[in-house]
């Protein structure tokens, strides 16, 4: 007996590409050229994130549709933004703001701030156009507003922590294995002026390490629940930041 063939979902209409083009066209009538250029940059980055990563959260039927068109050649080939509708934008803004802009884009504080500002405006516009639910767009707008505030701070903090770890001059090769935790994403448990505590797996259990010395300007902005990608070393019973890459707002 032949297996039952399940039809693929149809590509969305309008799709993300068309909706983002529509949003940008409306902004042309009200924005100064320099501001419009910043909107274009952020939306280009958003498309790159959606096309490169948003497929990971698709349902089985949606994934089948994506695989069918993405792997096709010629005119049948489609990217994520050409297959799915604008509701997928608000669903994926968390990954765009919390991962892509921090880890994948060499962005300064101005561009990080703009990513939050532009996506907040976009979220409200999607709701007004009924392209996304009021609830979903509202949550996305709040997340974007927080990102506009926190992402530039996180970038500033990362620079401060990197400079401090460089000045420390402590290297993993000089430490015993028991005094070194390899590069990972460590969640901040508590912050006080000039020191912090972080959660880490040790001996198969989650432990709270600290206090870990850190520059006071950095601890002024860090919050519990934020994440630091770094390695840790213990010197004279005190854990220290060895190498620091990025800081991710919670």
């Amino acid at each position: 007996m032949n297996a039952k063939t399940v039809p693929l979902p149809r590509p969305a209409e309008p799709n993300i590409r068309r909706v983002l083009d529509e949003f940008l066209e409306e902004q042309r009538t009200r924005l100064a050229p320099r501001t419009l250029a910043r909107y274009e940059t952020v939306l280009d980055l958003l498309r790159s994130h959606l096309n490169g990563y948003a497929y990971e959260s698709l349902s089985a039927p949606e994934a089948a549709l994506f695989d069918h068109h993405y792997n096709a050649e010629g005119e049948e080939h489609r990217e994520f933004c050409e297959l799915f509708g604008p509701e997928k934008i608000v669903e994926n803004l968390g990954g765009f703001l919390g991962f892509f802009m921090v880890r994948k884009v060499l962005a300064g504080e101005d561009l990080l701030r703009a990513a939050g500002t532009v996506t907040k405006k976009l979220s409200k516009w999607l709701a007004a156009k009924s392209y996304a639910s009021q609830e979903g767009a509202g949550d996305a707008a709040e997340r974007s507003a927080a990102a506009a505030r926190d992402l530039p701070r996180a970038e500033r903090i990362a620079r401060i922590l990197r400079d401090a770890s460089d000045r420390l001059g402590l290297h993993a090769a000089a430490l015993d294995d028991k005094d070194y935790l390899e590069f990972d994403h460590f969640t901040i448990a508590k912050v006080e002026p000039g020191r912090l505590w972080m959660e880490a797996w040790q001996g198969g259990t989650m432990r709270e390490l600290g206090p870990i010395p850190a520059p006071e300007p950095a601890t002024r902005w860090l919050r519990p629940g934020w994440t630091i990608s770094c390695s840790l070393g213990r010197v004279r019973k005190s854990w220290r930041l060895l190498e620091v890459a990025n800081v991710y707002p919670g």
Side-chain angles (χ1 to χ4, degrees), residues 55-220:
Y55 73 91
E56 295 173 353
S57 62
L58 292 174
S59 67
E62 291 170 334
L65 172 69
F66 176 77
D67 290 342
H68 174 77
H69 286 280
Y70 185 79
N71 295 322
E73 297 181 357
E75 294 183 357
E76 284 295 311
H77 175 78
R78 296 287 188 276
E79 298 285 340
F80 185 94
C81 289
E82 298 172 310
L83 290 171
F84 298 101
E87 73 282 353
K88 296 295 186 186
I89 298 174
V90 296
E91 292 176 10
N92 287 281
L93 281 184
F96 172 66
L97 296 169
F99 162 76
F100 186 81
M101 287 301 300
V102 175
R103 188 171 181 180
K104 295 298 183 179
V105 180
L106 297 176
E109 292 181 25
D110 288 344
L111 182 54
L112 291 169
R113 185 178 297 106
T117 301
V118 172
T119 53
K120 177 183 177 181
K121 177 71 177 180
L122 172 63
S123 297
K124 292 184 175 181
W125 180 87
L126 289 170
K129 292 284 187 175
S130 298
Y131 285 143
S133 70
Q134 292 289 338
E135 181 180 4
D139 291 344
E142 291 181 7
R143 186 182 302 114
S144 296
R149 178 191 67 239
D150 292 337
L151 286 180
R153 291 179 180 176
E155 173 60 22
R156 196 176 313 134
I157 292 165
R159 290 201 305 269
I160 294 172
L161 295 179
R162 282 195 294 267
D163 290 344
S165 64
D166 288 344
R167 290 194 300 270
L168 181 63
L170 185 63
H171 300 287
L175 300 173
D176 291 335
D177 289 346
K178 64 182 176 58
D179 293 323
Y180 175 68
L181 292 178
E182 294 183 356
F183 213 94
D184 204 345
H185 290 75
F186 298 97
T187 301
I188 297 172
K190 183 170 64 174
V191 182
E192 292 180 357
R195 56 186 190 167
L196 53 87
W197 288 255
M198 294 199 291
E199 298 174 347
W201 284 99
Q202 280 191 306
T205 60
M206 182 66 74
R207 300 179 184 273
E208 190 173 293
L209 306 182
I212 301 170
E216 194 278 334
T219 56
R220 187 185 311 154

